[in-house]
Amino acid sequence: MHRPTFADYKTINKKIPQVSYASTAPELSDNTRYDFFSRVVPPDSYQAQAMMDIVTAMEWNYVSTLASEGNYGESGVEAFVQISRETGGVCIAQSLKIPREPRPGEFDKIIRRLLETSNARAVIMFANEDDIRRVLDAAKRNNQTGHFLWVGSDSWGSKISPVIGQEKVAEGAITILPKRASVDAFDRYFRSRSLSNNRRNVWFAEFWEENFNCKLGMHGKRPGSLKKCTGLEKVGRDSSYEQEGKVQFVMDAVYAMAHALHRMHRELCFGYPGLCPRMASIDGKELLSYIRAVNFNGSAGTPVVFNENGDAPGRYDIFQYQRTNRSTAEYKVIGSWTNKLHLKLEAMRWKTGDPSLPPSVCSIPCRAGERKKVVKGVPCCWHCERCEGYHYQASEFTCELCPYEMRPDVNRTGCVPIPIIKLEWHSPWAIVPVFISMLGIIATSFVIVTFVRHNDTPIVRASGREMSYVLLTGIFLCYAITFLMIATPDVGVCSFRRIFLGLGMCFSYAALLTKTNRIHRIFEQGKKSVTAPRFISPASQLVITFSLISVQLLGVFVWFAVDPPHTVVDYGEQRTQDPMSARGVLKCDISDLSLICSLGYSILLMVTCTVYAIKTRGVPETFNEAKPIGFTMYTTCIIWLAFIPIFFGTSQSAERMYIQTTTLTISLSLSASVSLGMLYMPKVYIILFHPEQNVPKRKRSFKAIVTAAAMSGKLSQKGDRPNGEVKTELCESMETNSDFIN
């Protein structure tokens, strides 16, 4: 396609307005340099914008450009590149130039260069027909049929010559062409032209010889032609004829000048026939203003107007070169562009037969939950990085950390609340302690019922009824606390946990401490005198026991005042590396330190009771349960010594809630079971299965009892022991009379 050069316009007097029908160079839109220049065809900058819109609609973001050396090709590519920079979203992989005089192998080299960025399949071409044909031929030679996605400018348009013999490699090419229409009146006029009626056109004779392949007389322009022109030949009948595509624009350019002169004459020479004096010395600027103001329907029925730069509006038809069957191919209109793209994607066809759009991208889109790490200097190329840990994809390029109480969703595109869990009743961690607790409660209830039914029997009385019921209450509470520890935490449950967690042990060990202290004081007093020690009556023992218990309750009430009970969700306990496994633990706001402090007083009572059990280990066997209490305390200490490392050793475990709750409840139940089994099961056994042993013995005074105990102690020190019958009688007599000791 011929394009007038800038030199052509520089030599023209700037005071003479010009209207072009074919010049499309973008530089001619520069109103500071070519202010008297107008054109009825759109500049290539519009064409470049239309091609950019096509690329965007095809979802391509990585393309190469190919231009023929010269103003048309280089300016078109420059306009396209400039638009890509301004709009963003499309990157230029390579920008290659075809030399004016290409050397052998130049086009093969161009194809190899394009293949260096093979992901950039789309190639934007501003090239002349011959260069287009040779590029397609080189792609065919290099076995790249179907790889490249050609996007051609109006120099390709809907022409057949560039694709003859290259149908397969050109298949799918998208081309652009200024919207145009065939002018029927011109066809009728031109077909009627002959040598006789068109003598004013000095080039018509040369056209005649070329068109009909003949020679006009001795001075013909086609030497060597054997056929002589008759002059009777007819255009369109004796030769092929197709209207040249720029006829519409030539006519519009002429009419634009005519409309401008007509309006000028009407305004400056109104009613004056011919050229009036006012128009005889018209200034070029004034004429330019009339040209720029024209607005009429052109030969194709479309408006002819000019903008402030003298450019016509951009109107383009968009074609795709499609093969209709195995042997034929043709250009199909698939859309248009008039300041906005209208593209029929469903009408497009590709070599693969796949209806989906072929890709021309540097990097495939990142999946959900992945951020783009852009390659420096190439914004269309990136690496995809997975948002790890508790991070989610906040934007296309960033990952952010979810709030502490949330975790990423499955796609890592947002955050969702971390599931909240608690110890469920059906969990194995709960079933085992609940089962043990229920057995313990049944056994304790059975013992209490047995003692109540045989409340006045010697064994029940000898064991200290009041203290026994206090101790059994503590044992019952130790079993019952299991249900509070497993129940769903709320303010009520948390309050009861604080109260009863240490209360059961406090009841038990306060009662046992009072008992062992009483035994110790009795025998220590017996070594000195026969006077009974103070505060050994049942009432005194109860006062002492409940005084010890009140300390525990006082501490709990202070705890209530300082830190009211409430629930919390601990998201750190099961915050695993895998967010999908993370859980929030619903729990009472009781720290490990608070728990130990709550149990600390009971443990202190237990240790003190153990000390007294050791001190009273030398008293006669079965006297007021001194020996069973001792064994109970030794076993209990072992249980709690085992509990402490298990409880604190699992503080970092993901199963911490389950292990610690289960360990605590089972330790409490085992402590209660030891007390129940060693202190009360033998008595219940005698009451139920050997009632003959549950009979009163002869009563003795306190003096006789203490004297006998002292004698027993002295005999033990000497290694002489009374026979078993005497010893048993002594002990049982003392137990029976314990209720009467003051």
Side-chain angles (χ1 to χ4, degrees):
M1 178 181 293
H2 172 70
R3 302 289 190 226
T5 64
F6 297 133
D8 297 333
Y9 298 106
K10 289 178 181 178
T11 58
I12 299 174
N13 189 337
K14 289 187 178 181
K15 291 186 177 180
I16 302 175
Q18 305 158 61
V19 180
S20 173
Y21 61 86
S23 300
T24 59
E27 287 83 353
L28 295 174
S29 298
D30 186 353
N31 216 17
T32 61
R33 298 173 62 192
Y34 309 104
D35 48 342
F36 281 77
F37 180 81
S38 303
R39 49 187 166 187
V40 293
V41 289
D44 288 339
S45 56
Y46 288 168
Q47 183 175 197
Q49 181 64 62
M51 296 171 80
M52 175 59 69
D53 290 347
I54 292 171
V55 168
T56 304
M58 299 296 290
E59 299 179 357
W60 297 337
N61 67 2
Y62 198 51
V63 301
S64 295
T65 63
L66 185 59
S68 292
E69 187 176 4
N71 179 256
Y72 170 72
E74 294 177 33
S75 298
V77 165
E78 184 180 346
F80 182 87
V81 172
Q82 182 63 29
I83 293 171
S84 71
R85 289 172 182 165
E86 293 173 355
T87 60
V90 176
C91 297
I92 308 301
Q94 295 192 74
S95 193
L96 305 181
K97 188 188 300 183
I98 303 172
R100 291 183 186 274
E101 298 180 0
R103 292 175 294 182
E106 186 70 36
F107 290 93
D108 291 324
K109 181 181 177 181
I110 289 174
I111 295 299
R112 289 195 295 270
R113 287 280 305 278
L114 291 173
L115 289 174
E116 290 176 4
T117 51
S118 57
N119 285 347
R121 295 177 60 193
V123 180
I124 311 302
M125 297 183 68
F126 281 86
N128 58 53
E129 295 179 38
D130 188 52
D131 285 346
I132 294 170
R133 181 181 57 78
R134 288 192 283 182
V135 167
L136 295 177
D137 185 52
K140 182 179 179 181
R141 283 197 308 273
N142 286 271
N143 297 319
Q144 297 303 318
T145 299
H147 174 76
F148 293 109
L149 306 169
W150 311 106
V151 180
S153 63
D154 62 347
S155 60
W156 185 337
S158 58
K159 296 175 181 175
I160 298 298
S161 57
V163 297
I164 291 177
Q166 324 279 3
E167 289 82 0
K168 289 185 178 181
V169 74
E171 184 179 358
I174 300 171
T175 60
I176 190 169
L177 194 63
K179 190 178 286 291
R180 62 184 66 177
S182 179
V183 183
D184 294 337
F186 178 82
D187 287 342
R188 291 193 298 271
Y189 167 79
F190 195 76
R191 284 181 175 137
S192 68
R193 297 299 87 192
S194 66
L195 292 172
S196 59
N197 62 14
N198 197 24
R199 295 184 181 277
R200 64 173 183 165
N201 190 334
V202 295
W203 295 286
F204 193 70
E206 184 178 346
F207 162 77
W208 196 269
E209 289 182 327
E210 180 73 24
N211 188 52
F212 295 107
N213 195 21
C214 61
K215 183 178 180 181
L216 288 171
M218 298 296 295
H219 303 288
K221 301 294 183 179
R222 291 177 60 85
S225 177
L226 301 179
K227 181 181 176 183
K228 185 177 181 180
C229 298
T230 63
L232 300 177
E233 295 89 356
K234 191 173 182 61
V235 174
R237 185 193 66 185
D238 301 318
S239 66
S240 61
Y241 167 76
E242 183 180 358
Q243 188 179 120
E244 214 285 333
K246 290 185 174 57
V247 168
Q248 166 198 338
F249 301 115
V250 173
M251 295 177 66
D252 288 344
V254 172
Y255 275 109
M257 184 65 76
H259 276 279
L261 291 172
H262 177 70
R263 184 177 176 184
M264 176 184 284
H265 184 271
R266 189 173 56 190
E267 292 183 4
L268 301 182
C269 305
F270 184 75
Y272 192 93
L275 194 66
C276 66
R278 176 70 177 82
M279 286 185 65
S281 59
I282 193 68
D283 181 67
K285 275 194 174 182
E286 193 172 2
L287 176 58
L288 179 66
S289 65
Y290 283 98
I291 292 174
R292 295 284 173 87
V294 300
N295 188 342
F296 64 95
N297 286 332
S299 55
T302 56
V304 176
V305 293
F306 301 103
N307 64 11
E308 66 275 7
N309 296 323
D311 295 330
R315 289 187 289 264
Y316 297 95
D317 284 324
I318 301 170
F319 299 87
Q320 187 183 36
Y321 190 66
Q322 299 177 0
R323 297 184 68 191
T324 54
N325 52 50
R326 292 184 178 180
S327 58
T328 61
E330 60 182 344
Y331 292 95
K332 296 280 189 180
V333 177
I334 59 170
S336 62
W337 191 92
T338 307
N339 296 323
K340 184 179 179 182
L341 179 66
H342 302 278
L343 193 63
K344 302 174 185 176
L345 295 176
E346 68 279 1
M348 304 183 78
R349 298 290 181 270
W350 307 99
K351 181 176 178 60
T352 59
D354 188 350
S356 61
L357 299 178
S360 181
V361 295
C362 180
S363 303
I364 61 173
C366 292
R367 294 174 296 181
E370 294 180 341
R371 75 176 184 93
K372 291 181 180 178
K373 186 177 181 181
V374 178
V375 176
K376 188 175 181 180
V378 190
C380 299
C381 299
W382 57 80
H383 302 295
C384 295
E385 288 187 350
R386 180 80 171 165
C387 296
E388 297 294 343
Y390 288 82
H391 291 78
Y392 72 100
Q393 183 185 0
S395 68
E396 192 176 5
F397 303 100
T398 60
C399 294
E400 292 184 3
L401 185 65
C402 286
Y404 191 68
E405 70 280 359
M406 305 184 82
R407 69 181 184 186
D409 59 21
V410 176
N411 294 325
R412 289 186 176 270
T413 55
C415 296
V416 296
I418 294 176
I420 298 174
I421 62 170
K422 60 180 183 63
L423 185 56
E424 301 290 346
W425 292 100
H426 56 76
S427 168
W429 295 99
I431 292 174
V432 173
V434 166
F435 178 73
I436 296 173
S437 180
M438 290 180 66
L439 290 180
I441 289 173
I442 293 171
T444 305
S445 301
F446 179 74
V447 171
I448 292 173
V449 170
T450 301
F451 266 52
V452 170
R453 291 184 61 183
H454 301 83
N455 192 51
D456 293 324
T457 59
I459 286 183
V460 176
R461 294 179 63 188
S463 62
R465 288 174 296 186
E466 295 79 3
M467 298 304 294
S468 291
Y469 291 134
V470 173
L471 180 55
L472 287 169
T473 300
I475 292 173
F476 184 89
L477 291 176
C478 286
Y479 286 123
I481 191 63
T482 297
F483 297 94
L484 285 175
M485 297 301 294
I486 297 175
T488 301
D490 56 34
V491 175
V493 169
C494 293
S495 300
F496 283 119
R497 281 188 189 180
R498 289 190 181 188
I499 294 171
F500 292 106
L501 182 60
L503 193 60
M505 291 179 63
C506 189
F507 263 80
S508 300
Y509 299 126
L512 288 176
L513 176 59
T514 303
K515 275 192 170 190
T516 53
N517 175 264
R518 175 175 176 265
I519 296 171
H520 176 71
R521 288 189 295 114
I522 288 174
F523 282 91
E524 286 298 314
Q525 183 69 20
K527 294 177 183 180
K528 300 174 184 178
S529 68
V530 294
T531 305
R534 301 172 62 188
F535 309 121
I536 63 172
S537 66
S540 300
Q541 297 294 292
L542 287 175
V543 171
I544 295 171
T545 300
F546 282 107
S547 297
L548 294 172
I549 293 172
S550 66
V551 175
Q552 172 76 15
L553 291 174
L554 179 62
V556 171
F557 291 141
V558 171
W559 189 8
F560 269 72
V562 174
D563 183 19
H566 59 279
T567 60
V568 295
V569 178
D570 187 350
Y571 292 100
E573 184 172 317
Q574 294 199 23
R575 194 173 180 84
T576 57
Q577 290 186 347
D578 180 11
M580 295 299 105
S581 302
R583 298 291 184 271
V585 179
L586 178 64
K587 61 198 303 186
C588 293
D589 188 24
I590 302 176
S591 64
D592 292 347
L593 180 60
S594 300
L595 179 67
I596 293 303
C597 290
S598 177
L599 296 175
Y601 180 66
S602 300
I603 294 174
L604 177 62
L605 294 178
M606 180 182 70
V607 173
T608 307
C609 185
T610 303
V611 172
Y612 276 108
I614 294 172
K615 288 184 177 183
T616 59
R617 68 186 184 279
V619 304
E621 295 180 7
T622 72
F623 181 83
N624 265 359
E625 308 165 307
K627 288 294 195 307
I629 290 174
F631 287 126
T632 298
M633 300 317 302
Y634 306 151
T635 307
T636 302
C637 287
I638 293 173
I639 291 172
W640 286 98
L641 285 173
F643 161 78
I644 292 174
I646 295 175
F647 187 87
F648 289 101
T650 58
S651 60
Q652 302 301 321
S653 172
E655 305 291 333
R656 171 187 173 187
M657 174 187 66
Y658 305 111
I659 296 174
Q660 291 189 343
T661 302
T662 302
T663 302
L664 178 60
T665 53
I666 289 180
S667 296
L668 288 168
S669 295
L670 289 179
S671 299
S673 299
V674 169
S675 299
L676 187 66
M678 290 191 173
L679 298 179
Y680 291 101
M681 285 307 171
K683 294 180 175 62
V684 172
Y685 177 77
I686 292 174
I687 292 171
L688 296 180
F689 298 105
H690 294 284
E692 70 278 2
Q693 297 181 17
N694 191 12
V695 295
K697 304 294 182 179
R698 56 191 179 88
K699 296 180 181 179
R700 298 184 182 184
S701 66
F702 178 77
K703 179 180 179 180
I705 293 170
V706 173
T707 302
M711 289 175 60
S712 175
K714 292 176 181 178
L715 290 171
S716 299
Q717 291 174 359
K718 293 179 180 179
D720 299 328
R721 296 180 59 86
N723 61 52
E725 294 180 1
V726 175
K727 181 176 135 182
T728 303
E729 181 182 355
L730 171 65
C731 295
E732 290 180 354
S733 297
M734 293 175 70
E735 290 174 354
T736 305
N737 286 285
S738 64
D739 291 335
F740 304 100
I741 298 174
N742 296 315

